[in-house]
Amino acid sequence: MGRTMSKLSMTFAWLLSVCTAAVHAATFVESSVEFATVGQPILSGVIAPKTVPAKLRLPMGDGPFPAMVILHGSAGVDGRGAAMAEALAAAGIASLEPDMWKARGLLGGTNGRARIISDTLPDTWGAWSYLATNPKIDAARIGVMGFSWGGALSWITAFGLKPTQATPEVAAAKFAVHVPYYGGCSSYLPEAAGGFRTDPHAAARGRLRDRQ
C-alpha cells in the first residue's frame, strides 16, 4: 500500500509540476483533426457517431512524444482543456482534445449532453487509437484525463471498460495513466464491471465551496 501511495503521489506531483511549468511562448503546433470512433456503447443501445472532431496539439520537435487525451465536461469544450494542453506541451507532452458533443450535434449542459457516461467510450478509445497510430506519438505512453464528465470517463477506463465491437487493438489496450478532475467516483462504479485494476491514476476533487 505504501509503495502504491508513493507512486500516486509522484504521479500527482508530476502533473502539478507540468501545470506550473507552462509558458506562453509557442511550444506546440495545433491542428484540427477528425478521428473514427471505436465500437459502440455498452449500455444504452444508442449508436456512436462515426467520427469526432478534435484539437491535436504537438510539442515542437520530432517526437515520438508521450500524449494525453483531454476529455471535456458536460458543458463541452472550454478553456480548461486548452490551458492544460499548453502546460503539457511545455513539458514535451502532446494532447488530443475531442469535442464529443459536436460529434453528436449537441449543445452541452445538463440537457445537451449524451445520456450516460459510457455512451462516450467509443470516443475515448477512438482517441486512443488515433494517437496510437500517429508516428509522432509514443503508443506506450498515452494517458487520459478529463473534467467532470470527462473525469468520469477517466475513472471508468481505469477499470478496463471498453465499447462493444472494439477492434482487437483496443480490446488489448490500456491507458498509461488516468487523471480525473472532479469526475465523481461511486456514481459510475457500477458501469465498471470486472473489478478495479491497478492502472496508475491520480484524482483531483474539490470542496463544494470551491465550485461556487
Side-chain angles (χ1 to χ4, degrees):
M1 177 64 74
R3 183 176 298 178
T4 299
M5 291 304 297
S6 177
K7 287 182 178 179
L8 292 180
S9 298
M10 290 175 63
T11 300
F12 205 45
W14 167 80
L15 187 66
L16 291 174
S17 68
V18 166
C19 294
T20 56
V23 294
H24 295 291
T27 55
F28 62 90
V29 176
E30 178 179 298
S31 56
S32 296
V33 301
E34 200 170 66
F35 63 84
T37 55
V38 172
Q40 294 297 330
I42 59 174
L43 295 177
S44 70
V46 301
I47 302 299
K50 291 184 178 180
T51 59
V52 179
K55 294 291 185 183
L56 175 66
R57 299 171 175 104
L58 295 173
M60 306 301 288
D62 297 328
F65 305 107
M68 187 74 78
V69 176
I70 302 175
L71 300 171
H72 61 71
S74 292
V77 174
D78 55 29
R80 293 173 296 180
M84 186 60 72
E86 183 179 351
L88 291 167
I93 302 169
S95 63
L96 182 68
E97 184 180 15
D99 190 336
M100 299 180 287
W101 297 169
K102 187 174 182 180
R104 292 167 171 78
L106 299 173
L107 298 177
T110 304
N111 298 314
R113 61 188 184 184
R115 194 172 72 85
I116 57 176
I117 300 294
S118 58
D119 280 356
T120 45
L121 279 171
D123 311 53
T124 306
W125 287 106
W128 177 91
S129 183
Y130 175 85
L131 289 171
T133 55
N134 188 318
K136 288 209 164 192
I137 302 300
D138 181 350
R141 294 190 292 164
I142 300 173
V144 59
M145 65 179 299
F147 306 93
S148 190
W149 183 285
L153 275 169
S154 301
W155 269 124
I156 67 174
T157 52
F159 288 77
L161 206 62
K162 306 287 176 65
T164 63
Q165 304 172 37
T167 63
E169 293 78 13
V170 165
K174 67 177 184 176
F175 285 101
V177 66
H178 305 257
V179 186
Y181 278 83
Y182 43 93
C185 184
S186 58
S187 303
Y188 307 113
L189 299 192
E191 294 190 4
F196 189 68
R197 303 190 320 186
T198 55
D199 296 351
H201 63 281
R205 301 288 300 274
R207 293 170 296 178
L208 178 61
R209 68 184 184 189
D210 295 329
R211 305 179 206 170
Q212 294 176 338

